[in-house]
Amino acid sequence: MQEKKLFLLDGMALIYRAFFAFSQNPRITSTGLNTSAVFGFLNTLTEVLQKEKPSHLAVVFDTEAPTERHIEFEDYKANREAMPEDLAKSIPYIFRLIEGFNIPIITKDGYEADDLIGTLAKQAEKEGFTTFMMTPDKDFGQLVSDKIFIYKPARMGNGAEVMGPNEVRKRWSIERVDQVIDILGLMGDAVDNIPGIPGVGEKTAIKLIDQFGTVENLLEHTDDLKGKLKEKVEENKEKALLSKRLATIIVDAPIELDEASLQVEEPDEETLKALFAELEFRTVARRMFAGSGESEPSTVSKVAGPKQGDLFSQGSSGQDPIETEELPGAYKTIANTPHEYLLVEDEKALDSMLQSLGKAKEICFDTETTSIEALDAELVGMSFSIEAGKAWYLPFPKEREEAEKLLEKVSGIFRDPSKTLIAQNIKYDMMVLQNYGLELQGHLFDTMLAHYLIEADSRHNMDVMAQNYLSYDPVPISELIGKKGSQQLSMRDVDPEKIKEYAAEDADITLQLYARLLPELKEKNGTKVLEEIEMPLVPVLADMEREGVRIDRDFLAAYSKELEKDSILTEKHIYELAGVQFNIASPKQLGEVLFDKLKLDAKAKKTKTGQYQTNEEVLNRLAAEHEIAKQIIQFRQINKLKSTYVDSLPLLIHPKTGRVHTSFNQAVAATGRLSSQNPNLQNIPIRTDMGREIRKAFVPRSDEFTIMAADYSQIELRIIAAISGDPGMIEDFREGHDIHAATAAKVFDVPLDKVDKEMRRKAKMVNFGIIYGISAFGLSQRLEIPRKEAAEIIDAYFKQYPKIREYMTRTIEKAKENGYVETIKGRRRYLRDINSRNATVRGFAERNAINAPIQGSAADMIKLAMIRIHKEMKKQNLKSKMILQVHDELLFEMHHDEEKQLPELVIREMKEAIKLDVPLEVEVGTGNNWLEAH
């Protein structure tokens, strides 16, 4: 007989949690609908269904009707923020989602969700159910029993947490779970506006209940109290009793447990399909309905970065288009959309295609290759389109010489400067053609980069854009070569007739996207940024990726052994401190040692599986008081450094070039910054001595070269000084002062030569914190000082630099008026939540409004500097090479003959990339490796 397992979901609490989990990176549809809450709630729901397999389930909500608590205490929940507008719009979709899963929704006027959950849980207990109250709300601790549990959903990488009587008693240091109500009655609840006793926090409340057992007993024995605490309790007796009543969850609400209606059923597939189509949950739909007629998910999609999807370049069966009745919300496909895709099989067809392409001003093209790694890719075919619905596919022979001859015949198209060459992620195609000695000469347009400038926070791969802009679902790769794995075919194994449909579709759809994106790009003022920054940067990045960097394999091998020794020594030290040997890498064993044996924290939290949490946050908190925690942190850092970088980098050395080749992404970071992947060379650790050592492995290609690093000095602070026009900060930079010391002198009102290290540290934190909209609370946390002192420092800062505060206020006002902010060069960042009525959501947007113009301008500056430097280096035919970009730093292999010429060129071009009213400083260093140069 199946276990009777009931899950009662606290609907609104889970929805809020889901919404704010995506606050930094919301999911937005092509129509502007924020689906974060729906998507997060869906993930929560499916995780419970799949992992916990409940027999019975319901989602419980409040209603708008007042409850007894509102009647007794008018201010109950009165201080709650207005629901964010985007969240309010999501609620009907979430109700449709729940109904689509055939899950009952339970409400009752006059009763809160807590009361309904409490009542049903207690009734279910009598009927032999094990009940899990799924909620992040601490109040539910009063209800737990041997058959009733709190189920806190997974959060920030940690698994779900299940709390029974033992966990609740331990969490609150109480003898009985019902004493949770007494603690809540004393300490109150700011979220629900339950008053409690003013000045009594959690620790005091726990102490009082430990001593007196209940609120009522406490109030009868106030003579046992002393000083201010006695006064507070005696003056607020009624508030304490009221607060306890307000915090008590009702368990006899007028609602009956209907077992049959709560039984888990199969979802309504058609309802969910239509809803997912409307919400643009394509991947979810494919995954959930893969076995019911939906196409399989593409194992490799056309994404930013290496041109995934072109490793094999799929097509459909090649059959004639057929008419099909579309489901509501369904997309057009190659099967139901008229098209004319031609396979170029002979000289006559080739001549005909070339004649048509020769007359066209705008040509969309795409390469089909053998590898997603551009350096390794061989041409298998090319597709071209100059008119929507029509395209050609030109297969290439496997033999290199024959392929080069065929490419030469079509090369005139790419060498014609009058033509506009359009592609999706054009850097990949450019590098593939460079493998054959062909350079693109025309005016270039990348649909991926265009969309990135239109909507930086969205996804920019071709499939998603096709679905959003064209209501078209391109052919998935699995239809051509099968799913990823040992049975997956190579592109060269596929019949060209089949490849034709997929490849030609790519070019056709990209051309159609170009037609849709171009006017929107102009409307949003993105054309200038695309033409002056992003497109000219493409060949620069392509050359840098091709060059790669040389890695000293021997140094890394030696350093690996050194780290191994450090790891062993640290491990021994940990064993000595623990008094026992155990597997430090095992969270279970580590938790038992820290909390059962050494008893470092009596209130240590556990995961869903019952083992103690030993993540970085927990260890950092313990490290302030316990040496063993410091050593465990060091042990983890050593081993992560060793595995992630020291042992991994040599494995990424390219067998042909002997160098490591990263891939730079232009369309990932919403701020405009570049990112790096495969490997991520922008993430080499620099904050610790051990991490910095890795930079010694980056060495010049030969004895004829040295490493040169050029770095903008405090560029973001210089930019905020310039765009705010603050005379005090501008003067500090013009005088060449140490900006943090100069800030400290002003803020702490001391002469510059009297600024000590601690003053400078605080000023530095304020300087950089201001850029990110730091609050007094945030500053107090970072500096470990009282909030009042932090507030005084910030106030003094703004008195000395008043124009910076004006900039912040002005920028937020403009953002609210326009819906976006701009960098110096006009790059826009749209802020959809800038006018939200919810202070938390609006706060995120306001901080982005302050930061985006600064960080974005710094990103534009380094990009323009790279373009100018690259152009000058080519013009002067230098032997030196630009090989790496890391945020505000550029790395070069400098030829010894150019040791005077290159630094002068680089400093000049970096300083002139964007002219500011503040002097720009570029620090240049050289050495036998990156660490020496930096």
Side-chain angles (χ1 to χ4, degrees):
M1 184 177 176
Q2 184 186 1
E3 177 192 4
K4 293 167 73 172
K5 189 176 183 181
L6 170 63
F7 265 75
L8 297 171
L9 277 58
D10 185 356
M12 197 54 70
L14 295 173
I15 289 169
Y16 262 91
R17 175 182 167 278
F19 179 76
F20 283 106
F22 288 92
S23 57
Q24 296 278 33
N25 188 24
R27 292 180 61 93
I28 310 296
T29 68
S30 59
T31 61
L33 177 68
N34 185 334
T35 60
S36 302
V38 193
F39 185 75
F41 188 84
L42 171 62
N43 282 343
T44 299
L45 190 58
T46 53
E47 184 175 355
V48 165
L49 288 167
Q50 291 167 7
K51 290 188 177 180
E52 302 299 335
K53 301 190 180 341
S55 61
H56 296 72
L57 185 85
V59 185
V60 188
F61 287 94
D62 302 331
T63 69
E64 295 293 327
T67 66
E68 288 183 14
R69 295 181 183 89
H70 293 91
I71 295 167
E72 181 176 9
F73 183 53
E74 194 174 332
D75 290 337
Y76 180 63
K77 293 189 176 181
N79 291 344
R80 285 202 167 181
E81 286 276 1
M83 183 183 291
E85 297 85 343
D86 283 352
L87 178 54
K89 291 175 185 175
S90 298
I91 302 299
Y93 293 100
I94 292 173
F95 273 62
R96 285 169 58 190
L97 177 73
I98 297 168
E99 289 164 358
F101 273 92
N102 285 317
I103 295 169
I105 294 171
I106 297 176
T107 62
K108 186 77 175 177
D109 281 349
Y111 294 88
E112 294 184 52
D114 304 25
D115 303 324
L116 302 180
I117 290 172
T119 300
L120 292 172
K122 292 299 181 183
Q123 290 179 14
E125 183 176 32
K126 294 175 184 176
E127 300 298 327
F129 280 86
T130 300
T131 300
F132 294 87
M133 305 174 293
M134 189 167 182
T135 177
D137 192 339
K138 62 184 182 295
D139 298 15
F140 283 85
Q142 63 189 270
L143 299 173
V144 300
S145 70
D146 292 338
K147 299 291 284 183
I148 301 174
F149 300 87
I150 294 175
Y151 186 96
K152 288 188 175 182
R155 183 173 181 269
M156 297 185 72
N158 296 318
E161 182 183 359
V162 178
M163 297 182 71
N166 289 337
E167 289 78 13
V168 170
R169 287 194 291 262
K170 189 173 182 180
R171 158 69 179 86
W172 295 100
S173 300
I174 51 179
E175 294 180 1
R176 308 183 315 275
V177 297
D178 63 279
Q179 289 176 308
V180 169
I181 310 170
D182 294 281
I183 292 173
L184 294 172
L186 294 177
M187 62 183 275
D189 187 331
V191 175
D192 289 343
N193 205 34
I194 296 175
I197 294 178
V200 173
E202 181 178 324
K203 288 183 180 179
T204 305
I206 289 172
K207 184 178 176 183
L208 290 172
I209 296 306
D210 181 54
Q211 183 178 352
F212 296 99
T214 65
V215 169
E216 290 80 1
N217 196 41
L218 164 67
L219 299 181
E220 288 176 8
H221 296 87
T222 55
D223 289 342
D224 294 346
L225 302 176
K226 295 178 181 178
K228 287 189 176 180
L229 181 59
K230 180 180 180 182
E231 289 178 24
K232 288 177 184 176
V233 174
E234 289 183 338
E235 288 173 5
N236 294 279
K237 284 185 177 183
E238 287 305 314
K239 280 187 179 178
L241 292 169
L242 168 65
S243 297
K244 182 174 178 178
R245 289 196 299 274
L246 294 174
T248 302
I249 294 175
I250 296 169
V251 293
D252 59 355
I255 188 169
E256 295 297 325
L257 180 75
D258 183 350
E259 291 188 32
S261 70
L262 300 183
Q263 273 194 317
V264 172
E265 298 179 15
E266 288 296 313
D268 183 334
E269 190 172 308
E270 293 307 313
T271 297
L272 290 179
K273 275 185 182 178
L275 178 62
F276 290 164
E278 188 176 346
L279 296 172
E280 298 174 7
F281 289 178
R282 301 175 190 95
T283 304
V284 172
R286 283 175 172 163
R287 187 165 57 238
M288 190 173 289
F289 306 119
S292 59
E294 290 284 323
S295 59
E296 288 288 334
S298 172
T299 54
V300 188
S301 61
K302 301 161 191 67
V303 297
K307 191 132 187 174
Q308 299 180 25
D310 290 349
L311 169 53
F312 309 106
S313 285
Q314 288 62 6
S316 69
S317 62
Q319 296 173 341
D320 293 332
I322 57 173
E323 293 298 324
T324 61
E325 185 178 346
E326 294 187 1
L327 293 170
Y331 297 101
K332 294 178 287 185
T333 67
I334 200 168
N336 60 31
T337 304
H339 61 278
E340 185 182 344
Y341 296 160
L342 303 176
L343 181 64
V344 182
E345 297 182 277
D346 51 37
E347 288 294 326
K348 182 179 178 183
L350 178 61
D351 288 342
S352 174
M353 180 188 78
L354 291 175
Q355 281 185 18
S356 297
L357 295 178
K359 296 173 185 175
K361 291 182 179 180
E362 298 171 334
I363 301 172
C364 185
F365 76 101
D366 190 30
T367 57
E368 315 303 334
T369 70
T370 57
S371 175
I372 60 173
E373 302 298 336
L375 290 179
D376 301 324
E378 296 178 5
L379 270 175
V380 173
M382 294 188 74
S383 53
F384 301 91
S385 180
I386 57 175
E387 182 182 347
K390 296 182 179 181
W392 295 270
Y393 175 63
L394 174 64
F396 272 68
K398 184 176 181 179
E399 296 74 18
R400 177 77 180 204
E401 189 176 335
E402 294 301 312
E404 288 176 352
K405 287 180 181 177
L406 180 56
L407 186 59
E408 182 59 33
K409 291 181 180 179
V410 299
S411 63
I413 296 162
F414 298 104
R415 293 187 174 124
D416 186 343
S418 69
K419 295 192 182 301
T420 296
L421 301 174
I422 305 154
Q424 166 78 9
N425 189 19
I426 203 168
K427 173 159 64 73
Y428 175 87
D429 303 295
M430 176 184 288
M431 294 182 71
V432 170
L433 295 177
Q434 285 174 342
N435 292 344
Y436 292 81
L438 178 59
E439 296 286 346
L440 303 184
Q441 301 295 320
H443 176 73
L444 307 182
F445 189 99
D446 189 334
T447 47
M448 177 185 75
L449 295 179
H451 188 256
Y452 171 64
L453 293 175
I454 290 168
E455 187 54 71
D457 292 293
S458 296
R459 291 175 291 169
H460 316 293
N461 67 64
M462 192 198 81
D463 288 359
V464 170
M465 288 195 289
Q467 290 156 347
N468 289 348
Y469 281 90
L470 308 173
S471 297
Y472 187 95
D473 196 8
V475 175
I477 193 170
S478 53
E479 285 193 17
L480 194 64
I481 49 128
K483 294 181 181 179
K484 212 170 187 178
S486 59
Q487 301 300 312
Q488 195 175 51
L489 299 175
S490 165
M491 177 64 172
R492 293 210 187 273
D493 299 328
V494 183
D495 184 348
E497 182 65 40
K498 290 184 178 180
I499 299 172
K500 174 202 69 174
E501 291 291 291
Y502 173 86
E505 182 190 59
D506 273 2
D508 173 23
I509 294 303
T510 302
L511 182 72
Q512 292 184 49
L513 286 171
Y514 165 73
R516 294 290 296 272
L517 293 171
L518 188 59
E520 190 173 353
L521 186 70
K522 290 176 179 176
E523 180 190 336
K524 294 192 172 180
N525 204 37
T527 308
K528 186 178 179 183
V529 177
L530 183 72
E531 293 181 350
E532 293 184 4
I533 301 177
E534 298 300 347
M535 290 315 308
L537 186 64
V538 171
V540 180
L541 297 178
D543 282 357
M544 290 169 68
E545 290 178 22
R546 188 171 295 279
E547 283 297 328
V549 292
R550 183 182 168 204
I551 300 295
D552 187 337
R553 198 192 300 258
D554 293 338
F555 167 79
L556 289 176
Y559 192 37
S560 180
K561 291 177 181 176
E562 187 180 326
L563 289 175
E564 181 70 25
K565 290 178 185 176
D566 290 343
S567 177
I568 292 169
L569 289 173
T570 308
E571 186 176 21
K572 286 180 179 177
H573 192 189
I574 291 168
Y575 293 155
E576 289 170 2
L577 292 167
V580 64
Q581 288 197 14
F582 63 100
N583 182 359
I584 302 170
S586 164
K588 183 176 185 297
Q589 292 184 35
L590 176 60
E592 289 169 354
V593 169
L594 294 180
F595 305 117
D596 287 339
K597 184 178 187 299
L598 299 179
K599 302 189 184 303
L600 299 189
D601 184 357
K603 298 178 182 178
K605 292 183 178 180
K606 289 187 177 182
T607 66
K608 172 190 172 185
T609 57
Q611 68 186 40
Y612 290 105
Q613 290 184 10
T614 58
N615 55 33
E616 186 178 355
E617 183 183 347
V618 171
L619 291 175
N620 282 331
R621 182 166 44 81
L622 294 172
E625 298 178 26
H626 303 283
E627 178 63 24
I628 192 169
K630 289 181 185 176
Q631 293 300 315
I632 292 164
I633 291 169
Q634 175 147 328
F635 178 81
R636 287 183 176 180
Q637 287 175 344
I638 291 169
N639 286 282
K640 182 178 180 181
L641 208 60
K642 185 175 182 296
S643 61
T644 306
Y645 301 103
V646 179
D647 293 343
S648 297
L649 279 172
L651 303 176
L652 297 170
I653 295 174
H654 196 283
K656 292 180 182 176
T657 67
R659 295 164 74 85
V660 170
H661 302 267
T662 189
S663 178
F664 290 102
N665 300 317
Q666 286 173 265
V668 172
T671 58
R673 276 189 164 186
L674 292 171
S675 66
S676 162
Q677 68 179 41
N678 300 324
N680 182 355
L681 297 182
Q682 295 189 332
N683 209 29
I684 304 294
I686 58 169
R687 292 186 178 180
T688 64
D689 291 338
M690 284 190 302
R692 282 191 290 273
E693 282 291 295
I694 295 173
R695 293 194 171 201
K696 285 184 179 177
F698 291 74
V699 295
R701 65 182 62 220
S702 71
D703 293 340
E704 295 180 10
F705 292 81
T706 190
I707 296 293
M708 184 185 98
D711 194 358
Y712 279 119
S713 172
Q714 299 168 333
I715 191 60
E716 291 186 350
L717 289 177
R718 294 174 190 271
I719 288 171
I720 195 172
I723 62 178
S724 69
D726 189 272
M729 189 170 281
I730 290 172
E731 185 63 21
D732 287 335
F733 279 121
R734 285 179 177 170
E735 291 295 323
H737 293 152
D738 172 343
I739 189 61
H740 303 310
T743 299
K746 286 185 169 70
V747 169
F748 297 109
D749 194 22
V750 296
L752 191 58
D753 59 359
K754 297 296 182 183
V755 171
D756 59 28
K757 285 185 179 180
E758 184 62 17
M759 290 177 182
R760 186 184 184 279
R761 183 179 79 91
K762 290 178 179 179
K764 181 177 180 180
M765 189 63 73
V766 180
N767 270 329
F768 286 117
I770 290 297
I771 297 170
Y772 296 93
I774 198 168
S775 65
F777 174 75
L779 185 63
S780 70
Q781 294 289 101
R782 293 191 195 182
L783 292 176
E784 297 180 346
I785 60 175
R787 194 185 303 190
K788 184 180 178 184
E789 182 184 346
E792 289 170 353
I793 291 173
I794 291 176
D795 287 343
Y797 181 92
F798 283 130
K799 283 178 183 175
Q800 295 300 325
Y801 301 121
K803 289 289 184 181
I804 291 180
R805 171 167 269 172
E806 286 180 24
Y807 157 76
M808 295 166 72
T809 303
R810 184 174 67 249
T811 301
I812 290 170
E813 286 174 354
K814 280 188 176 180
K816 288 181 176 180
E817 182 181 341
N818 299 324
Y820 62 83
V821 290
E822 287 185 329
T823 66
I824 294 169
K825 298 302 289 184
R827 180 189 302 274
R828 287 185 182 178
R829 178 82 184 272
Y830 283 85
L831 303 162
R832 55 180 291 108
D833 296 319
I834 194 67
N835 289 306
S836 173
R837 291 193 300 272
N838 182 278
T840 304
V841 174
R842 189 173 64 249
F844 278 122
E846 288 176 352
R847 286 190 288 277
N848 275 333
I850 294 166
N851 173 251
I854 301 163
Q855 200 172 94
S857 293
D860 289 343
M861 186 178 290
I862 194 80
K863 286 179 175 179
L864 286 166
M866 292 166 72
I867 294 164
R868 294 168 68 101
I869 291 166
H870 183 261
K871 182 179 179 181
E872 278 300 305
M873 289 177 74
K874 277 186 172 290
K875 183 179 176 181
Q876 297 180 29
N877 198 26
L878 298 188
K879 300 171 188 174
S880 302
K881 302 292 182 183
M882 182 162 54
I883 56 173
L884 199 59
Q885 186 265 10
V886 181
H887 307 312
D888 302 326
E889 178 182 5
L890 297 176
L891 202 65
F892 300 83
E893 283 182 326
M894 179 171 64
H895 194 273
H896 291 319
D897 293 345
E898 298 160 358
E899 288 181 352
K900 183 175 185 297
Q901 189 178 2
L902 183 67
E904 289 178 356
L905 182 158
V906 169
I907 291 171
R908 180 182 69 248
E909 299 303 336
M910 287 180 75
K911 284 187 174 184
E912 294 181 1
I914 295 179
K915 296 290 179 65
L916 300 178
D917 290 336
V918 174
L920 296 181
E921 291 298 323
V922 178
E923 297 172 351
V924 171
T926 60
N928 294 316
N929 57 60
W930 187 5
L931 184 63
E932 285 185 14
H934 185 81

